[in-house]
Amino acid sequence: MPDLLLELRSEEIPARMQRKAAGDLKALVTGGLVAAGLTYEAAREYWTPRRLTLDIRGVDARSKDLREERKGPRTDAPAKAVEGFLRGAGLTSVAEAEVRSDPKKGDFYVAVIETPGRPAEDIVAALMPGIIRDFPWPKSMRWGKASREPGSLRWVRPLQSILCTFGPETSDPVVVEFEVEGIRSGNLTYGHRFHAPEAIRVRRFDDYVTALERARVVLDADRRKEIIRHDAENLAFARGLEVVPDEGLLEEVSGLVEWPVALAGTFESDFLAIPPEVVQLTIRTNQKCFVTRPQGSAGGKLSDIFILVANIDAVDGGAEIARGNGKVVRARLSDALYFWQTDQGDLPDPDGLRAAADRLGLDLARPLDQRMAKLDALGVTFHAKLGTQGQRVERIAALADTLAASLWPEGTTLDGAPVSKAELQVLVRRAALLAKADLTTEAVGEFPELQGVMGRYYAALQGEHPSVQTAIAEHYKPLGPTDTVPTDPVALCVALADKLDTLVGFWAIDEKPTGSKDPYALRRAALGVIRILVDNGLRLGLGALVPAGDLVAFFHDRLKVQLRDAGARHDLVDAVLAPSDGDDLLDITRRIEALGAFLATEDGANLLAGYRRAANILAAEEKKGTHVAPQVDLALLVEPEEKALAGAIDRAELELDEALATETYAHAMAALAQLRLPVDAFFERILVNAEDEAVRANRLALLQRIRALTLRVADFARITG
């Protein structure tokens, strides 16, 4: 079967757009082929900085002939109905329609519409101009003289050539001919801009890849990544070093080069006095280079060697390229060193910050305290309706203090030593007051992604307690589903306070997430609270801290997402949440885990079946208005099975009371499990709807006790499994 090869070659496509653009091209082309009646066996997309390529194998040579029969109105239908049918079917008169008979409905019209198939190359030629013109680039441009004309072609960068061939392996393919803005498709491509700028004639994908490789273009982006990874690691290893892993940078760099050549550059070791995060970000952001460290180094120590990736085999082996990059790296690191040293010194007029320092309880002899006082004194707005950053820090400090008092017992261990609750609260308040201080530092101004990280360094330099340092660095965590959560008691309190203040504040001003819009990342904040509490096994009644009832409901919704992502059944989450408005997220999680484990057993499955039978009978009788006794009358229990069930319910209630009081949910499920055999026996031998009204009401009361008992654990009615 024929194969289709397509290449759209342009000026350099931004690296961040390449992977998605190639996927979009594949989806648009294959979708268009299928919509036109063509099938294909396989399709794969490729991309480099200068081209998007599709290799589509086993395409039908021609679309199938189609025959469609469209049923119309009766032959004696009103003229307007017949005319509408003819228009819809594309017929000019009833003479072009067939008349068929139905024994019950009489004679009616049928339009037989036959559509002949088309050659695949005609379909592709008709399809491609529209795809190219309407391609969904995040940003696009016009260029050249044509850009002055309305409706001229827009592309991410100037489009230079289109290659499109189609045909079987056994013969020469044909060029699928079409034109877009004066660019005609053909069978020519071009290799590396500098090494092989001459035209290359192409037949099909295999010789296309081979020809590009000879012309210094590696088409496969994943292969380029592996070349970069391998060569960079070898360069580092030869120097007794290892590359600091950076998958994001590797993806970006593979989108900047068509012929990757790894080179080593150097900078002065004096710059290693700068925190390693700053060194790495400086080199990464400005030069797209990888940093290295001594082999086996688990700490933050870096080396003075960096790895750059060129797009050319230089005649001098890359020496001049490495030298030029090193020159730029040194200049950037000089700036970073200046930021680092400046942040450690006093601000120009610390006395002017006295009022802010006194209000917040800051020590102006310390640089980080000065910067927090400056943040407050500047009146930097957090949100127009929620006050300044300084006011927010005060709220976070107060809330963190409350959390420390409620979450941690006397003698909590910090840095290997027990501390009193009062000492813990002092450290928590101190950490909360300094957590945002680095926002006014030079280093964070240059690299906002280092907020918290730089604060930790500056806190260490001025001798803050290790837990305070940790809290400053980690109070933003977790930043995503794969990020770690704080475990240090001080960090944990500040992280919770930071997120809860955000949620309570935005709920108070009615700025809640809507649909896909969440500009203040409130969903992430709520998930962060959930993960911190659940992962650390902490009990916290949110209701006392978040006064808005719908905010507790928001936490429930986020908890559902968290648990479902972790593999919990959605119906069990609903079942546990339904009978209460519980605000203890850890308790809810443990109930769900215990319920899932119970229902996976034979006792659990059978009790669920028994519950459903009891609930269905009760619902039917309550709907009819049947009298249900307010409580079970032991004197009316005649049959052994109903007596046994009543006794089992009594025992289960006692054990369930104890289990729920101690929050041992496995025991709570075990208490319910005792009902399985008595319930089975009851339904097997006892007629609930007895003729005697008192006996019937008493037996319905037994079923009501079963329903009430299970409801104390979960709403079994919501369990679908």
Side-chain angles (χ1 to χ4, degrees):
M1 296 180 73
D3 301 329
L4 176 66
L5 171 62
L6 173 69
E7 179 200 75
L8 304 177
R9 190 178 63 89
S10 69
E11 294 292 333
E12 275 71 9
I13 305 167
R16 68 184 184 278
M17 299 183 187
Q18 293 167 17
R19 184 180 291 271
K20 183 179 184 302
D24 288 342
L25 182 63
K26 174 184 171 182
L28 291 167
V29 173
T30 56
L33 295 179
V34 171
L38 297 175
T39 63
Y40 62 95
E41 294 176 355
R44 184 176 174 185
E45 71 274 30
Y46 299 87
W47 61 93
T48 79
R50 299 176 62 217
R51 65 200 80 221
L52 301 178
T53 299
L54 278 187
D55 173 29
I56 306 180
R57 303 290 177 96
V59 182
D60 291 334
R62 184 182 180 87
S63 62
K64 293 180 174 60
D65 296 338
L66 298 178
R67 176 186 170 88
E68 177 190 0
E69 292 188 358
R70 192 174 299 178
K71 186 178 179 181
R74 287 166 50 100
T75 55
D76 59 355
K80 286 190 176 181
V82 175
E83 290 172 3
F85 161 68
L86 294 175
R87 281 195 305 272
L91 305 182
T92 58
S93 71
V94 292
E96 295 177 355
E98 294 183 7
V99 177
R100 297 186 186 172
S101 298
D102 183 290
K104 295 182 179 179
K105 298 182 179 179
D107 294 344
F108 59 92
Y109 291 115
V110 172
V112 178
I113 304 171
E114 294 185 347
T115 305
R118 291 189 295 159
E121 50 266 46
D122 290 352
I123 292 174
V124 173
L127 178 67
M128 286 309 306
I131 289 177
I132 293 172
R133 286 185 173 280
D134 300 329
F135 199 79
W137 292 109
K139 287 186 177 181
S140 57
M141 61 179 290
R142 294 189 176 100
W143 63 94
K145 294 180 179 179
S147 63
R148 292 175 293 193
E149 301 298 326
S152 60
L153 176 66
R154 299 185 67 96
W155 196 249
V156 63
R157 294 292 184 270
L159 187 63
Q160 295 179 327
S161 68
I162 301 170
L163 181 152
C164 192
T165 65
F166 181 75
E169 292 184 7
T170 55
S171 62
D172 282 343
V174 300
V175 171
V176 179
E177 296 187 0
F178 58 90
E179 181 180 335
V180 181
E181 288 292 318
I183 304 172
R184 294 195 62 81
S185 59
N187 60 357
L188 299 180
T189 188
Y190 297 81
H192 193 282
R193 184 189 296 277
F194 304 113
H195 286 304
E198 301 83 10
I200 302 169
R201 193 171 301 278
V202 173
R203 296 171 68 249
R204 55 179 54 85
F205 182 76
D206 292 339
D207 67 272
Y208 166 76
V209 173
T210 303
L212 283 181
E213 193 88 15
R214 286 197 299 265
R216 307 289 179 85
V217 174
V218 178
L219 181 66
D220 188 338
D222 290 331
R223 183 164 165 254
R224 291 198 304 276
K225 286 175 68 173
E226 288 311 307
I227 290 171
I228 295 168
R229 190 196 308 273
H230 177 269
D231 291 354
E233 288 175 351
N234 281 351
L235 279 175
F237 183 79
R239 292 162 172 79
L241 306 169
E242 63 186 25
V243 178
V244 176
D246 191 335
E247 288 299 318
L249 180 59
L250 183 60
E251 173 80 9
E252 183 177 8
V253 171
S254 71
L256 297 175
V257 296
E258 291 194 313
W259 187 252
V261 178
L263 303 169
T266 64
F267 56 86
E268 286 75 10
S269 58
D270 292 349
F271 289 122
L272 296 178
I274 307 170
E277 294 90 346
V278 178
V279 174
Q280 182 176 12
L281 263 178
T282 298
I283 295 175
R284 181 192 203 277
T285 303
N286 294 293
Q287 290 303 103
K288 312 301 180 190
C289 296
F290 300 87
V291 295
T292 64
R293 63 193 177 197
Q295 290 178 8
S297 173
K301 183 178 180 182
L302 299 179
S303 82
D304 55 3
I305 304 292
F306 64 92
I307 306 296
L308 63 111
V309 182
N311 189 36
I312 188 173
D313 272 324
V315 293
D316 64 353
E320 187 61 25
I321 296 174
R323 190 194 68 79
N325 275 265
K327 184 177 180 180
V328 177
V329 164
R330 292 184 195 98
R332 297 299 187 183
L333 288 176
S334 294
D335 292 341
L337 181 61
Y338 169 78
F339 299 148
W340 168 242
Q341 293 172 338
T342 300
D343 289 339
Q344 297 175 45
D346 289 335
L347 291 174
D349 182 23
D351 290 338
L353 305 173
R354 179 63 58 190
D358 290 345
R359 188 168 61 81
L360 295 174
L362 297 169
D363 181 0
L364 289 182
R366 299 182 175 190
L368 200 58
D369 292 59
Q370 291 180 24
R371 279 147 185 79
M372 182 59 231
K374 179 181 178 182
L375 182 66
D376 181 64
L378 289 173
V380 177
T381 300
F382 169 63
H383 186 281
K385 296 181 180 179
L386 295 174
T388 66
Q389 284 281 13
Q391 291 169 332
R392 180 168 186 253
V393 165
E394 286 188 279
R395 295 196 302 267
I396 292 173
L399 181 52
D401 183 80
T402 300
L403 291 170
S406 61
L407 287 175
W408 301 107
E410 196 76 31
T412 294
T413 300
L414 289 183
D415 197 31
V419 297
S420 69
K421 184 169 287 193
E423 290 172 320
L424 175 64
Q425 288 176 267
V426 169
L427 291 173
V428 165
R429 179 170 178 80
R430 178 68 176 162
L433 287 174
L434 295 181
K436 308 295 182 183
D438 66 357
L439 294 178
T440 60
T441 62
E442 299 284 345
V444 172
E446 180 71 11
F447 299 114
E449 56 267 59
L450 289 182
Q451 54 189 293
V453 174
M454 296 311 299
R456 180 180 206 158
Y457 279 108
Y458 299 136
L461 287 172
Q462 66 182 41
E464 299 295 336
H465 189 282
S467 288
V468 172
Q469 299 174 32
T470 300
I472 293 171
E474 296 185 356
H475 79 282
Y476 294 106
K477 289 178 171 284
L479 293 174
T482 61
D483 195 16
T484 58
V485 301
T487 56
D488 180 276
V490 176
L492 195 150
C493 289
V494 179
L496 281 175
D498 182 51
K499 293 166 181 58
L500 288 170
D501 176 77
T502 297
L503 289 161
V504 171
F506 282 105
W507 242 253
I509 62 174
D510 199 26
E511 289 278 2
K512 306 169 188 175
T514 56
S516 61
K517 295 181 179 179
D518 187 10
Y520 303 110
L522 301 182
R523 293 188 180 98
R524 187 177 72 186
L527 282 171
V529 170
I530 292 167
R531 284 196 56 205
I532 290 171
L533 294 175
V534 173
D535 291 6
N536 285 284
L538 293 174
R539 308 294 305 276
L540 181 65
L542 289 173
L545 300 172
V546 291
D550 56 339
L551 182 49
V552 173
F554 181 70
F555 274 109
H556 286 175
D557 289 340
R558 294 299 93 200
L559 180 61
K560 290 179 184 180
V561 172
Q562 173 77 7
L563 292 171
R564 289 168 188 169
D565 289 347
R569 285 170 41 183
H570 68 88
D571 56 332
L572 302 191
V573 178
D574 292 337
V576 170
L577 285 173
S580 72
D581 56 355
D583 60 358
D584 186 333
L585 304 179
L586 179 65
D587 182 66
I588 293 169
T589 302
R590 288 177 173 172
R591 284 175 182 255
I592 292 167
E593 291 171 350
L595 180 60
F598 173 58
L599 292 176
T601 66
E602 184 180 357
D603 282 345
N606 287 338
L607 179 60
L608 178 60
Y611 160 83
R612 285 173 174 162
R613 190 169 179 183
N616 289 338
I617 292 172
L618 273 172
E621 295 305 314
E622 287 169 345
K623 187 175 182 180
K624 292 188 292 186
T626 304
H627 175 62
V628 180
Q631 60 186 26
V632 175
D633 185 345
L634 297 180
L636 293 176
L637 299 176
V638 179
E639 302 297 334
E641 290 78 13
E642 58 183 339
K643 292 180 180 179
L645 178 58
I649 293 173
D650 287 339
R651 290 190 298 274
E653 282 181 338
L654 291 173
E655 293 186 21
L656 191 61
D657 286 342
E658 181 180 349
L660 293 179
T662 57
E663 297 175 354
T664 50
Y665 296 120
H667 292 167
M669 300 304 163
L672 292 181
Q674 298 178 30
L675 296 177
R676 179 250 175 123
L677 292 177
V679 167
D680 288 349
F682 178 85
F683 282 122
E684 184 177 340
R685 297 184 177 89
I686 301 299
L687 176 65
V688 176
N689 288 321
E691 292 185 7
D692 186 304
E693 183 180 340
V695 172
R696 179 171 65 248
N698 204 49
R699 289 174 178 172
L700 289 172
L702 270 178
L703 302 188
Q704 193 171 54
R705 287 188 68 190
I706 294 172
R707 184 172 65 182
L709 196 62
T710 57
L711 194 61
R712 294 179 63 189
V713 173
D715 185 354
F716 276 41
R718 292 177 178 264
I719 300 174
T720 60

